[in-house]
Amino acid sequence: MNVPKSKVKSSNPSLRSRLLRLVLVPLSLILLIDIVGSYFVVRHVANDVYDVELNEIAREMLLHVTRTSDGMGFDLSPDAERTLLLDKEDQVYYAIRTLDGNLIAGDPTLPVQKVIKSGKDTAYYDGVLGDQSVRVALFRGQPLLHPSTEPVMIQVAETQIKRDRHERALLIQLILPQVLLIVIAGILIWRGVAQGLAPLRNLQQEVGMRSHLDLSPIAADNVPGEVEPLVVAVNDLMTRVDAVLGFQGRFIADTAHQLRTPVAGLKAHIELALRESDPVQIKRALGHLYTSAERLSRLVSQLLSLARNEPNNVTANFASFDLNQLALRTAQEWVPLAYKKQIDLGFDAAEQPVMLNGEAARVTEMINNLVDNAIRYTPPGGRVTVHVRMDENAHLVVSDDGTRIPVEERKRIFERFHRLLGSHEEGSGLGLAIVHEIATLHNASITLEDDVDGVGNTFTVSFPITHAPI
């Protein structure tokens, strides 16, 4: 059967986008930090370049500071002033003051906002004049023509049009190559990741094109090393699934084969009963029919029990119980059948309670199958004994006088539908398989040995003790 294949669009981000984010996000943050740092560096460089011009203008103006009868004066002609302050892009303003703040010449709106540090003659700062941002040079010096007079303060302010243009040009020259580098790196990473993920796409296509019946291992030759453990794990899972499916297939085939015989017997006895007119023969046929139906019912019950006790299908609900009492009650239920077959059924209890942690109902089912198997294969006049012992572990022992199971058969005796060759007793071959499943569920081990007297067999189930004896 072909299963239609559909492309599933995942809501999770792709590995490619994750890798790009892991690479590009840190690079973008680094670029942002670099832009901020570059801005301050560029601004500092631009200021250094143009601040020198403001300082030169201030020094030139100092040459024209004079002393008059009324105090200090400024003798620079208007033409010379326009020439000195001429700039193609920016407006230049100035103010000359005494140390106590009295204006000598220039623009009175230029406020003094910065104090010159000791040991220096010039300070620079950013300010606002009207609605324009300006760069101000504050110069303090002694008039050269009148060295005996007090020093004066000269402010030269300039708008920042060419500074801003210069800063933008420098920033573009610094940042643009880095932005282009990140873009190129992103493209190369995108293509490189796509090429690197090509084996994963091939793997996805290979798995997607497979039949649902194909559980053969996936080739891991060309997958990346990081993905190889995943492929190995998937192969291991498919191997286990294949084993389970194969086991289920064999189990279904064996079950159908086992059911065919009792169903055929039922049909034969029904046909015989329908053909008979003698009441005695009809009653005899009905007796055979009842026996076949009982055998079929037992087989179905064992199949259900086997499926119910598979470790992978069981939700354990363990509780504490006394194995001594449980085994005694269970063995007592088989006394009538043992008496009918002239078998001596005995029970040998431990000297103290044997507390286990498990499911009492399943352990009861295990004991029933062991005792049933022992009684079924023990000849009349024989004996079957149920023992409970305790040392480091708790032990449930069922010994019988039945046909000795050869050593070479003991590994297979717990397989489903396995029966001893030459056995004339009717059975499904499921009882000991059920015992093995229940023992596995309880982390118990089961062994089969010759009986101590050399006649028959001894089955021993050893449980780990999790509760201290009472």
mmCIF file of all heavy atoms in Angstrom, residues 18-50:
data_model
loop_
_atom_site.group_PDB
_atom_site.id
_atom_site.type_symbol
_atom_site.label_atom_id
_atom_site.label_comp_id
_atom_site.label_asym_id
_atom_site.label_seq_id
_atom_site.Cartn_x
_atom_site.Cartn_y
_atom_site.Cartn_z
ATOM 1 N N ARG A 18 18.558 30.031 12.063
ATOM 2 C CA ARG A 18 19.159 30.077 13.399
ATOM 3 C C ARG A 18 20.642 30.399 13.324
ATOM 4 O O ARG A 18 21.167 31.227 14.085
ATOM 5 C CB ARG A 18 18.948 28.742 14.114
ATOM 6 C CG ARG A 18 17.505 28.474 14.534
ATOM 7 C CD ARG A 18 17.406 27.153 15.256
ATOM 8 N NE ARG A 18 16.033 26.873 15.668
ATOM 9 C CZ ARG A 18 15.662 25.766 16.309
ATOM 10 N NH1 ARG A 18 16.570 24.850 16.615
ATOM 11 N NH2 ARG A 18 14.403 25.576 16.652
ATOM 12 N N LEU A 19 21.348 29.752 12.404
ATOM 13 C CA LEU A 19 22.778 30.002 12.268
ATOM 14 C C LEU A 19 23.034 31.445 11.833
ATOM 15 O O LEU A 19 23.973 32.090 12.313
ATOM 16 C CB LEU A 19 23.377 29.023 11.254
ATOM 17 C CG LEU A 19 23.467 27.555 11.714
ATOM 18 C CD1 LEU A 19 23.956 26.678 10.573
ATOM 19 C CD2 LEU A 19 24.387 27.416 12.915
ATOM 20 N N LEU A 20 22.199 31.938 10.909
ATOM 21 C CA LEU A 20 22.370 33.314 10.474
ATOM 22 C C LEU A 20 22.160 34.289 11.624
ATOM 23 O O LEU A 20 22.895 35.268 11.773
ATOM 24 C CB LEU A 20 21.389 33.624 9.331
ATOM 25 C CG LEU A 20 21.777 33.078 7.957
ATOM 26 C CD1 LEU A 20 20.677 33.346 6.945
ATOM 27 C CD2 LEU A 20 23.074 33.710 7.479
ATOM 28 N N ARG A 21 21.133 34.026 12.439
ATOM 29 C CA ARG A 21 20.896 34.898 13.584
ATOM 30 C C ARG A 21 22.078 34.842 14.558
ATOM 31 O O ARG A 21 22.499 35.867 15.098
ATOM 32 C CB ARG A 21 19.603 34.511 14.298
ATOM 33 C CG ARG A 21 18.357 35.016 13.608
ATOM 34 C CD ARG A 21 17.193 35.060 14.576
ATOM 35 N NE ARG A 21 16.914 33.757 15.145
ATOM 36 C CZ ARG A 21 16.085 32.863 14.624
ATOM 37 N NH1 ARG A 21 15.463 33.137 13.493
ATOM 38 N NH2 ARG A 21 15.871 31.707 15.216
ATOM 39 N N LEU A 22 22.576 33.630 14.792
ATOM 40 C CA LEU A 22 23.684 33.492 15.736
ATOM 41 C C LEU A 22 24.934 34.222 15.263
ATOM 42 O O LEU A 22 25.744 34.669 16.079
ATOM 43 C CB LEU A 22 24.009 32.004 15.948
ATOM 44 C CG LEU A 22 22.972 31.196 16.737
ATOM 45 C CD1 LEU A 22 23.335 29.722 16.742
ATOM 46 C CD2 LEU A 22 22.868 31.715 18.160
ATOM 47 N N VAL A 23 25.093 34.352 13.936
ATOM 48 C CA VAL A 23 26.280 35.022 13.400
ATOM 49 C C VAL A 23 26.026 36.507 13.172
ATOM 50 O O VAL A 23 26.819 37.363 13.569
ATOM 51 C CB VAL A 23 26.723 34.337 12.087
ATOM 52 C CG1 VAL A 23 27.871 35.111 11.453
ATOM 53 C CG2 VAL A 23 27.151 32.899 12.354
ATOM 54 N N LEU A 24 24.891 36.833 12.527
ATOM 55 C CA LEU A 24 24.655 38.216 12.109
ATOM 56 C C LEU A 24 24.226 39.121 13.251
ATOM 57 O O LEU A 24 24.540 40.312 13.250
ATOM 58 C CB LEU A 24 23.597 38.240 10.998
ATOM 59 C CG LEU A 24 24.014 37.572 9.676
ATOM 60 C CD1 LEU A 24 22.922 37.724 8.639
ATOM 61 C CD2 LEU A 24 25.312 38.176 9.160
ATOM 62 N N VAL A 25 23.487 38.593 14.212
ATOM 63 C CA VAL A 25 23.064 39.452 15.330
ATOM 64 C C VAL A 25 24.271 39.965 16.121
ATOM 65 O O VAL A 25 24.378 41.180 16.372
ATOM 66 C CB VAL A 25 22.062 38.703 16.232
ATOM 67 C CG1 VAL A 25 21.818 39.481 17.524
ATOM 68 C CG2 VAL A 25 20.731 38.506 15.506
ATOM 69 N N PRO A 26 25.229 39.113 16.512
ATOM 70 C CA PRO A 26 26.413 39.659 17.189
ATOM 71 C C PRO A 26 27.210 40.620 16.304
ATOM 72 O O PRO A 26 27.699 41.645 16.775
ATOM 73 C CB PRO A 26 27.236 38.404 17.535
ATOM 74 C CG PRO A 26 26.239 37.293 17.580
ATOM 75 C CD PRO A 26 25.239 37.630 16.534
ATOM 76 N N LEU A 27 27.303 40.287 14.995
ATOM 77 C CA LEU A 27 28.031 41.185 14.100
ATOM 78 C C LEU A 27 27.332 42.536 14.003
ATOM 79 O O LEU A 27 27.986 43.591 13.952
ATOM 80 C CB LEU A 27 28.151 40.555 12.710
ATOM 81 C CG LEU A 27 29.154 39.406 12.558
ATOM 82 C CD1 LEU A 27 29.134 38.868 11.138
ATOM 83 C CD2 LEU A 27 30.561 39.868 12.926
ATOM 84 N N SER A 28 25.997 42.530 13.964
ATOM 85 C CA SER A 28 25.250 43.784 13.893
ATOM 86 C C SER A 28 25.435 44.596 15.166
ATOM 87 O O SER A 28 25.562 45.833 15.112
ATOM 88 C CB SER A 28 23.765 43.492 13.652
ATOM 89 O OG SER A 28 23.574 42.781 12.448
ATOM 90 N N LEU A 29 25.443 43.914 16.314
ATOM 91 C CA LEU A 29 25.683 44.630 17.569
ATOM 92 C C LEU A 29 27.088 45.235 17.589
ATOM 93 O O LEU A 29 27.281 46.381 18.036
ATOM 94 C CB LEU A 29 25.502 43.673 18.751
ATOM 95 C CG LEU A 29 24.063 43.204 19.011
ATOM 96 C CD1 LEU A 29 24.041 42.188 20.148
ATOM 97 C CD2 LEU A 29 23.164 44.389 19.344
ATOM 98 N N ILE A 30 28.052 44.461 17.087
ATOM 99 C CA ILE A 30 29.421 44.987 17.015
ATOM 100 C C ILE A 30 29.469 46.201 16.088
ATOM 101 O O ILE A 30 30.135 47.206 16.371
ATOM 102 C CB ILE A 30 30.387 43.885 16.549
ATOM 103 C CG1 ILE A 30 30.493 42.790 17.620
ATOM 104 C CG2 ILE A 30 31.766 44.467 16.245
ATOM 105 C CD1 ILE A 30 31.307 41.599 17.188
ATOM 106 N N LEU A 31 28.747 46.104 14.941
ATOM 107 C CA LEU A 31 28.705 47.231 14.010
ATOM 108 C C LEU A 31 28.080 48.458 14.664
ATOM 109 O O LEU A 31 28.568 49.592 14.498
ATOM 110 C CB LEU A 31 27.921 46.836 12.761
ATOM 111 C CG LEU A 31 27.721 47.945 11.719
ATOM 112 C CD1 LEU A 31 29.079 48.414 11.183
ATOM 113 C CD2 LEU A 31 26.826 47.467 10.580
ATOM 114 N N LEU A 32 26.991 48.257 15.421
ATOM 115 C CA LEU A 32 26.338 49.384 16.091
ATOM 116 C C LEU A 32 27.287 50.043 17.095
ATOM 117 O O LEU A 32 27.397 51.280 17.155
ATOM 118 C CB LEU A 32 25.076 48.894 16.795
ATOM 119 C CG LEU A 32 24.266 49.947 17.562
ATOM 120 C CD1 LEU A 32 23.782 51.027 16.604
ATOM 121 C CD2 LEU A 32 23.093 49.295 18.281
ATOM 122 N N ILE A 33 27.979 49.209 17.868
ATOM 123 C CA ILE A 33 28.948 49.755 18.820
ATOM 124 C C ILE A 33 30.060 50.500 18.083
ATOM 125 O O ILE A 33 30.513 51.578 18.494
ATOM 126 C CB ILE A 33 29.531 48.633 19.699
ATOM 127 C CG1 ILE A 33 28.422 48.010 20.562
ATOM 128 C CG2 ILE A 33 30.660 49.150 20.576
ATOM 129 C CD1 ILE A 33 28.862 46.783 21.318
ATOM 130 N N ASP A 34 30.478 49.927 16.952
ATOM 131 C CA ASP A 34 31.534 50.556 16.164
ATOM 132 C C ASP A 34 31.065 51.895 15.588
ATOM 133 O O ASP A 34 31.849 52.859 15.529
ATOM 134 C CB ASP A 34 31.967 49.618 15.044
ATOM 135 C CG ASP A 34 33.118 50.180 14.241
ATOM 136 O OD1 ASP A 34 34.206 50.376 14.812
ATOM 137 O OD2 ASP A 34 32.923 50.453 13.042
ATOM 138 N N ILE A 35 29.794 51.966 15.175
ATOM 139 C CA ILE A 35 29.264 53.224 14.640
ATOM 140 C C ILE A 35 29.265 54.292 15.722
ATOM 141 O O ILE A 35 29.681 55.443 15.482
ATOM 142 C CB ILE A 35 27.844 53.010 14.086
ATOM 143 C CG1 ILE A 35 27.892 52.165 12.802
ATOM 144 C CG2 ILE A 35 27.167 54.343 13.798
ATOM 145 C CD1 ILE A 35 26.534 51.788 12.265
ATOM 146 N N VAL A 36 28.797 53.936 16.913
ATOM 147 C CA VAL A 36 28.780 54.903 18.013
ATOM 148 C C VAL A 36 30.197 55.353 18.342
ATOM 149 O O VAL A 36 30.478 56.558 18.491
ATOM 150 C CB VAL A 36 28.088 54.294 19.245
ATOM 151 C CG1 VAL A 36 28.187 55.239 20.436
ATOM 152 C CG2 VAL A 36 26.627 53.980 18.947
ATOM 153 N N GLY A 37 31.108 54.388 18.460
ATOM 154 C CA GLY A 37 32.494 54.745 18.762
ATOM 155 C C GLY A 37 33.117 55.587 17.655
ATOM 156 O O GLY A 37 33.830 56.564 17.921
ATOM 157 N N SER A 38 32.831 55.209 16.397
ATOM 158 C CA SER A 38 33.382 55.953 15.262
ATOM 159 C C SER A 38 32.840 57.373 15.229
ATOM 160 O O SER A 38 33.561 58.314 14.854
ATOM 161 C CB SER A 38 33.053 55.242 13.948
ATOM 162 O OG SER A 38 33.635 53.956 13.919
ATOM 163 N N TYR A 39 31.572 57.538 15.614
ATOM 164 C CA TYR A 39 30.986 58.884 15.621
ATOM 165 C C TYR A 39 31.772 59.802 16.552
ATOM 166 O O TYR A 39 32.118 60.932 16.188
ATOM 167 C CB TYR A 39 29.521 58.811 16.038
ATOM 168 C CG TYR A 39 28.909 60.172 16.309
ATOM 169 C CD1 TYR A 39 28.530 60.997 15.269
ATOM 170 C CD2 TYR A 39 28.736 60.619 17.617
ATOM 171 C CE1 TYR A 39 27.990 62.255 15.512
ATOM 172 C CE2 TYR A 39 28.197 61.869 17.879
ATOM 173 C CZ TYR A 39 27.820 62.678 16.819
ATOM 174 O OH TYR A 39 27.293 63.916 17.055
ATOM 175 N N PHE A 40 32.051 59.319 17.767
ATOM 176 C CA PHE A 40 32.785 60.167 18.715
ATOM 177 C C PHE A 40 34.218 60.412 18.241
ATOM 178 O O PHE A 40 34.759 61.513 18.414
ATOM 179 C CB PHE A 40 32.773 59.526 20.101
ATOM 180 C CG PHE A 40 31.441 59.595 20.786
ATOM 181 C CD1 PHE A 40 30.635 58.465 20.880
ATOM 182 C CD2 PHE A 40 30.976 60.793 21.316
ATOM 183 C CE1 PHE A 40 29.396 58.528 21.506
ATOM 184 C CE2 PHE A 40 29.741 60.855 21.941
ATOM 185 C CZ PHE A 40 28.944 59.731 22.039
ATOM 186 N N VAL A 41 34.819 59.372 17.636
ATOM 187 C CA VAL A 41 36.183 59.562 17.129
ATOM 188 C C VAL A 41 36.196 60.574 15.993
ATOM 189 O O VAL A 41 37.041 61.493 15.940
ATOM 190 C CB VAL A 41 36.764 58.204 16.662
ATOM 191 C CG1 VAL A 41 38.092 58.414 15.937
ATOM 192 C CG2 VAL A 41 36.957 57.278 17.849
ATOM 193 N N VAL A 42 35.253 60.428 15.048
ATOM 194 C CA VAL A 42 35.184 61.342 13.899
ATOM 195 C C VAL A 42 34.892 62.761 14.358
ATOM 196 O O VAL A 42 35.478 63.740 13.854
ATOM 197 C CB VAL A 42 34.115 60.838 12.906
ATOM 198 C CG1 VAL A 42 33.788 61.926 11.889
ATOM 199 C CG2 VAL A 42 34.619 59.591 12.195
ATOM 200 N N ARG A 43 33.981 62.898 15.307
ATOM 201 C CA ARG A 43 33.655 64.236 15.815
ATOM 202 C C ARG A 43 34.890 64.873 16.477
ATOM 203 O O ARG A 43 35.154 66.079 16.314
ATOM 204 C CB ARG A 43 32.505 64.136 16.802
ATOM 205 C CG ARG A 43 31.972 65.506 17.203
ATOM 206 C CD ARG A 43 30.629 65.376 17.890
ATOM 207 N NE ARG A 43 30.072 66.686 18.164
ATOM 208 C CZ ARG A 43 29.392 67.422 17.291
ATOM 209 N NH1 ARG A 43 29.210 66.962 16.056
ATOM 210 N NH2 ARG A 43 28.908 68.607 17.618
ATOM 211 N N HIS A 44 35.628 64.066 17.193
ATOM 212 C CA HIS A 44 36.847 64.578 17.834
ATOM 213 C C HIS A 44 37.860 65.018 16.777
ATOM 214 O O HIS A 44 38.508 66.078 16.912
ATOM 215 C CB HIS A 44 37.445 63.512 18.741
ATOM 216 C CG HIS A 44 38.693 63.935 19.435
ATOM 217 N ND1 HIS A 44 38.706 64.832 20.489
ATOM 218 C CD2 HIS A 44 40.008 63.601 19.200
ATOM 219 C CE1 HIS A 44 39.944 65.027 20.885
ATOM 220 N NE2 HIS A 44 40.764 64.290 20.126
ATOM 221 N N VAL A 45 38.000 64.212 15.729
ATOM 222 C CA VAL A 45 38.948 64.558 14.658
ATOM 223 C C VAL A 45 38.512 65.838 13.957
ATOM 224 O O VAL A 45 39.330 66.738 13.685
ATOM 225 C CB VAL A 45 39.064 63.392 13.663
ATOM 226 C CG1 VAL A 45 39.856 63.824 12.426
ATOM 227 C CG2 VAL A 45 39.726 62.192 14.318
ATOM 228 N N ALA A 46 37.217 65.933 13.634
ATOM 229 C CA ALA A 46 36.727 67.136 12.950
ATOM 230 C C ALA A 46 36.913 68.372 13.819
ATOM 231 O O ALA A 46 37.306 69.451 13.328
ATOM 232 C CB ALA A 46 35.255 66.952 12.579
ATOM 233 N N ASN A 47 36.629 68.229 15.088
ATOM 234 C CA ASN A 47 36.815 69.373 15.989
ATOM 235 C C ASN A 47 38.279 69.792 16.056
ATOM 236 O O ASN A 47 38.601 70.989 16.086
ATOM 237 C CB ASN A 47 36.297 69.042 17.386
ATOM 238 C CG ASN A 47 34.775 69.070 17.454
ATOM 239 O OD1 ASN A 47 34.127 69.743 16.653
ATOM 240 N ND2 ASN A 47 34.207 68.346 18.409
ATOM 241 N N ASP A 48 39.168 68.793 16.108
ATOM 242 C CA ASP A 48 40.597 69.135 16.150
ATOM 243 C C ASP A 48 41.009 69.938 14.918
ATOM 244 O O ASP A 48 41.819 70.877 15.003
ATOM 245 C CB ASP A 48 41.432 67.851 16.235
ATOM 246 C CG ASP A 48 41.396 67.237 17.628
ATOM 247 O OD1 ASP A 48 40.945 67.935 18.561
ATOM 248 O OD2 ASP A 48 41.811 66.062 17.776
ATOM 249 N N VAL A 49 40.452 69.545 13.753
ATOM 250 C CA VAL A 49 40.830 70.223 12.511
ATOM 251 C C VAL A 49 40.337 71.663 12.497
ATOM 252 O O VAL A 49 41.093 72.615 12.223
ATOM 253 C CB VAL A 49 40.285 69.445 11.301
ATOM 254 C CG1 VAL A 49 40.499 70.257 10.015
ATOM 255 C CG2 VAL A 49 40.961 68.089 11.193
ATOM 256 N N TYR A 50 39.030 71.831 12.828
ATOM 257 C CA TYR A 50 38.436 73.170 12.691
ATOM 258 C C TYR A 50 38.638 74.034 13.929
ATOM 259 O O TYR A 50 38.545 75.270 13.835
ATOM 260 C CB TYR A 50 36.944 73.034 12.368
ATOM 261 C CG TYR A 50 36.713 72.433 11.003
ATOM 262 C CD1 TYR A 50 36.296 71.108 10.862
ATOM 263 C CD2 TYR A 50 36.928 73.183 9.860
ATOM 264 C CE1 TYR A 50 36.095 70.555 9.617
ATOM 265 C CE2 TYR A 50 36.729 72.636 8.590
ATOM 266 C CZ TYR A 50 36.311 71.320 8.478
ATOM 267 O OH TYR A 50 36.129 70.781 7.246
#
